Amino acid sequence: MSTASWISTIRAHALRSPGTTAVTESGGSSVTREELVERIDSAVRALRDRGMRAGDPVLFSVRPGVSAIVLVLAVHELGGVLLPMDPGVSDTLFDARMATLRPRWVFAESLLLAAPSGFVARLLRSRGMHFAPLGRVQGARFVRVGPQLPGAPPSVSYRRLLREGKRAQRLERSDAATAIPGSSAASHRIREGAVTSELTDDAASFIVCTSGTTASPKAVIHTRRSLDAIIAAVQGELALTSTDTMCARDLHLILPALLAGARAVIPGDREFSGARALALFHREHVTHAFLVTRDCRLLLDACLASGKRVPDTVRSLMIGAAPVRAAFLSRLAEVLPPHTVAWCVYGATEVLPVARVSLREKVEYDGPGDLVGTPIPGVNVRVDGDGHLCISGDRMFAGYVGEPPVLEHRSGDLASISGGRVVLLGRTSDMIIRGEHNIYPALYEPLVEQTPGVRRAALVGDFDAALADERLILVVEPEAGADPAALIARVQESVRSGPLRLDSSAQPDRIVIASLPESGRSHKIDKSALRRKLGLTAAGELATGFAVP
């Protein structure tokens, strides 16, 4: 797939059937293929006229939906570099990332641009919410989705971009109409398009921060070549047709659906609801879906509570982003139609997807470790002499920002390969995967330790089979003479708000006061011993524990 083919492929589907629905949002609004192409072309023209050029970094924080799809495809067409940003990160980490990435544009929802100050900020704080200061990025131009709000920087609205682009189209349309005599007006509009920038396959196209400290943020660089390979691989695995309906929030799943001519259905809820998802599957006749492990658990709960099953229309259910246990999959299989193929995907931000395994294979596997399955064509896997899983191939990232290019990715997983299938045996670091977030304790523990009365802190994960997800336990070792109850209250307040606030994805489910075991002569905190220590204590016996709602 060439770098210029995404919009041209969507345009080709629109020419064949312009009135067919391309995207449906859960609220009921939808756009046809013709309307989607027109909006993309309008956004491309308007952004080009406003000065966007190839290589421009674009900080992006717009929730999944039609507007996000239009803006992402417009930026890609113009050769911009997308920088997706979780607005829940702490201000300190956000500032460090901005110093590294230096975006020239900020595309965000209105509330995110106005959040840091004034009435909006007070309202958010009263509801326990806090967003990073996207509206304070220095030297950037702002595009907002939504109305202008008090306290937000000057910006151009998404709707205005589309109007500007349409005006530019009208000026060009007469020439296009005479160049294609006898064709319909709709065909004129769909065929027009915009000029694609001259770009190489190795040009950066997508940069996402994954880990690192505030002093040295770690950001993964994907090129147009690797992104094309990712989209092509996902499209091949899904095997979508023009009559299918894909339900997902992630663009690396929505785009393959649109490129196959399928309809994309996008859940609009900020918080996933199993009951609403089940209703959406039934109402929209969904054939393919992607869910993170936690959301699958909520879907299962909704089915059991209502006595309903996943509808027969669902042929393929893809599960990913976090470890998927066989015991949970056995329960999930009971609410799936017999013909539904459910499969778990293993991958990393640096290389995606890597391997897949079917629900049946996963349930039947009785060996040691976590079976993640057969490598998907296009990647090469090997286990080095230290037992680490190493990955390479055409879907691999180019490198980290500020670091040399890479030829192979050392995943951080200990693994074995047997019969062509990859089995994970553990992590080389203590990264915790909760929901769809990678949580690095070393990033947050120093912040907690700045709270008065805290001697040391450790963040550990505890897999909850009922939730099919990790719970985060923050273990705090107190300074001598500190009152345990008062310290828990102080830490709870510190991690939720103020300068030591943790990212929303890293908020602990439980705070526990305890001494922290050490390992050997290094006197480092022994996380394995700590997990054993917590595991030997029943939840009801944690007298000093505080369950965070």
Side-chain angles (χ1 to χ4, degrees):
M1 185 180 293
S2 68
T3 58
S5 66
W6 290 5
I7 295 179
S8 62
T9 299
I10 295 172
R11 196 185 310 280
H13 290 302
L15 282 167
R16 284 191 289 271
S17 52
T20 299
T21 299
V23 182
T24 299
E25 296 177 340
S26 62
S29 62
S30 62
V31 294
T32 65
R33 292 173 176 173
E34 177 185 359
E35 290 168 337
L36 181 62
V37 168
E38 286 184 345
R39 293 185 192 186
I40 296 168
D41 285 343
S42 294
V44 168
R45 282 178 168 83
L47 289 171
R48 180 192 59 197
D49 292 345
R50 283 180 169 268
M52 181 172 285
R53 298 293 181 262
D56 279 0
V58 182
L59 187 68
F60 196 88
S61 194
V62 179
R63 78 182 77 183
V66 173
S67 56
I69 293 170
V70 169
L71 290 172
V72 163
L73 287 172
V75 171
H76 184 268
E77 180 78 355
L78 290 168
V81 183
L82 279 167
L83 314 172
M85 180 60 58
D86 174 8
V89 300
S90 66
D91 293 0
T92 303
L93 183 57
F94 178 79
D95 290 342
R97 289 178 173 178
M98 293 306 96
T100 298
L101 300 175
R102 300 182 182 279
R104 187 169 184 267
W105 298 80
V106 175
F107 289 15
E109 296 181 30
S110 298
L111 186 63
L112 301 180
L113 294 177
S117 62
F119 169 76
V120 175
R122 292 193 295 274
L123 177 63
L124 292 174
R125 284 197 296 270
S126 71
R127 298 182 179 182
M129 301 169 66
H130 180 93
F131 295 128
L134 273 67
R136 297 180 184 171
V137 175
Q138 297 296 312
R141 304 178 68 179
F142 296 89
V143 174
R144 72 178 189 276
V145 176
Q148 180 74 30
L149 295 178
S155 60
V156 59
S157 72
Y158 166 72
R159 292 182 180 275
R160 181 172 177 177
L161 283 180
L162 298 189
R163 290 196 300 269
E164 290 178 354
K166 280 187 177 181
R167 283 198 295 269
Q169 284 176 312
R170 284 196 293 269
L171 294 175
E172 300 169 9
R173 189 164 292 161
S174 57
D175 291 340
T178 56
I180 316 174
S183 57
S184 68
S187 177
H188 290 174
R189 291 193 297 271
I190 296 170
R191 288 179 187 274
E192 286 171 5
V195 178
T196 302
S197 303
E198 290 296 326
L199 296 163
T200 67
D201 287 344
D202 294 324
S205 184
F206 183 86
I207 299 178
V208 58
C209 295
T210 61
S211 64
T213 64
T214 55
S216 179
K218 215 169 186 62
V220 171
I221 304 171
H222 274 287
T223 64
R224 296 176 75 87
R225 185 197 310 278
S226 63
L227 273 188
D228 283 343
I230 289 170
I231 296 298
V234 173
Q235 190 174 352
E237 291 300 305
L238 290 171
L240 288 157
T241 70
S242 60
T243 61
D244 288 328
T245 298
M246 176 77 199
C247 182
R249 289 175 60 86
D250 300 273
L251 285 171
H252 68 271
L253 294 156
I254 294 170
L255 287 177
L258 295 177
L259 293 173
R263 180 170 67 115
V265 172
I266 306 174
D269 306 308
R270 285 190 181 273
E271 292 296 327
F272 182 87
S273 163
R276 288 194 293 269
L278 185 60
L280 186 66
F281 285 7
H282 280 277
R283 183 174 68 251
E284 301 295 343
H285 307 290
V286 170
T287 61
H288 295 67
F290 172 83
L291 296 174
V292 299
T293 310
R294 175 198 58 200
D295 293 350
C296 271
R297 187 265 303 173
L298 295 174
L299 178 66
L300 172 61
D301 289 347
C303 288
L304 296 176
S306 65
K308 297 179 180 179
R309 293 169 58 88
V310 173
D312 289 341
T313 57
V314 177
R315 301 198 315 272
S316 176
L317 176 62
M318 184 191 305
I319 309 168
V324 189
R325 312 301 184 190
F328 165 71
L329 290 175
S330 295
R331 301 199 308 274
L332 180 64
E334 296 175 2
V335 301
L336 295 178
H339 62 268
T340 299
V341 177
W343 39 292
C344 308
V345 183
Y346 167 70
T349 305
E350 291 85 352
V351 191
L352 181 77
V354 174
R356 61 175 283 186
V357 60
S358 70
L359 183 151
R360 177 174 296 179
E361 284 182 280
K362 190 93 168 179
V363 171
E364 292 177 350
Y365 179 74
D366 60 359
D370 181 17
L371 175 68
V372 295
T374 306
I376 294 170
V379 299
N380 304 305
V381 296
R382 71 180 184 90
V383 175
D384 68 14
D386 296 322
H388 300 103
L389 181 66
C390 300
I391 310 167
S392 60
D394 58 3
R395 298 193 292 276
M396 192 178 71
F397 72 130
Y400 297 106
V401 171
E403 297 185 15
V406 298
L407 298 177
E408 185 178 61
H409 174 55
R410 204 182 198 205
S411 68
D413 288 313
L414 301 173
S416 66
I417 301 175
S418 177
R421 300 191 303 179
V422 178
V423 178
L424 303 185
L425 304 175
R427 292 285 303 172
T428 58
S429 68
D430 63 346
M431 183 187 79
I432 302 165
I433 303 176
R434 179 167 71 167
E436 56 189 355
H437 298 283
N438 295 344
I439 299 166
Y440 295 82
L443 191 62
Y444 306 108
E445 290 160 347
L447 292 174
V448 178
E449 290 171 354
Q450 294 180 48
T451 305
V454 175
R455 180 173 179 264
R456 293 187 299 177
L459 195 63
V460 294
D462 180 30
F463 185 80
D464 187 322
L467 292 175
D469 202 0
E470 295 275 357
R471 287 186 176 276
L472 285 186
I473 301 176
L474 175 59
V475 185
V476 173
E477 188 176 78
E479 296 280 7
D483 177 71
L487 182 57
I488 283 178
R490 192 180 306 124
V491 172
Q492 179 196 8
E493 177 66 20
S494 177
V495 300
R496 285 184 168 185
S497 61
L500 303 180
R501 181 182 61 87
L502 305 188
D503 295 357
S504 56
S505 62
Q507 291 292 326
D509 297 292
R510 182 176 290 274
I511 301 173
V512 175
I513 300 292
S515 60
L516 296 174
E518 298 176 344
S519 58
R521 290 175 294 179
S522 67
H523 297 291
K524 292 182 179 179
I525 296 172
D526 188 336
K527 293 284 184 77
S528 296
L530 179 58
R531 291 188 184 95
R532 291 194 297 270
K533 178 178 180 178
L534 295 175
L536 294 175
T537 307
E541 297 172 354
L542 290 174
T544 58
F546 179 85
V548 179

